[in-house]
Amino acid sequence: MEKTNKDVPLRELSERVAEFARVRGWDKYHSPRNLLLALVGEVGEVSEIFQWKGEVARGLPNWSAADKEQLGEELSDVLLYLVRLADVCGVDLGRAALSKILKNATKYPLTPHQQQ
């Protein structure tokens, strides 16, 4: 897979992971339930990375390059399973996320203190 500095749209990720699964014959295993369970497992792996570290600073300045690489790989697994689950369920994840942000803005309006 090529490395680029461009942003990757969710639609492209969805198409790539769908093709990856299709050519390997994995579609039959990618039921919503199975994908959800795999997603939960991957979230557990991210949790294990943080489990004994206590609070960590933004940007993880005290982490080694290897630790950051491992975190990136596990977060990628979470993202890819989430994108695949949304695709299999017929949910446009990008649109759903933007809609949720708008709903949250209404549900949690800025307080006068935050508006300053």
Side-chain angles (χ1 to χ4, degrees):
M1 189 162 174
E2 72 280 350
K3 289 191 172 212
T4 67
N5 290 328
K6 71 175 183 121
D7 289 336
V8 179
L10 281 176
R11 176 60 30 215
E12 182 179 340
L13 283 178
S14 179
E15 290 168 357
R16 285 188 175 213
V17 76
E19 177 67 6
F20 187 89
R22 187 191 65 73
V23 299
R24 286 162 177 78
W26 293 353
D27 280 336
K28 61 187 170 204
Y29 305 113
H30 283 188
S31 67
R33 176 190 169 277
N34 287 348
L35 291 167
L36 174 62
L37 292 174
L39 173 61
V40 168
E42 294 299 337
V43 170
E45 291 185 24
V46 172
S47 297
E48 286 176 0
I49 294 171
F50 285 93
Q51 186 171 6
W52 304 113
K53 294 193 183 290
E55 283 300 320
V56 296
R58 288 181 139 213
L60 312 176
N62 299 322
W63 285 34
S64 70
D67 286 342
K68 287 182 179 182
E69 182 177 354
Q70 180 188 12
L71 177 61
E73 289 176 3
E74 297 305 337
L75 288 172
S76 295
D77 287 340
V78 169
L79 176 63
L80 293 172
Y81 274 118
L82 179 61
V83 167
R84 182 70 173 144
L85 176 60
D87 187 44
V88 166
C89 290
V91 172
D92 182 327
L93 192 56
R95 287 182 190 266
L98 288 176
S99 176
K100 183 63 174 176
I101 290 169
L102 294 174
K103 287 179 183 177
N104 284 346
T106 301
K107 187 175 181 180
Y108 305 105
L110 293 175
T111 66
H113 172 73
Q114 293 167 323
Q115 292 176 357
Q116 294 178 4

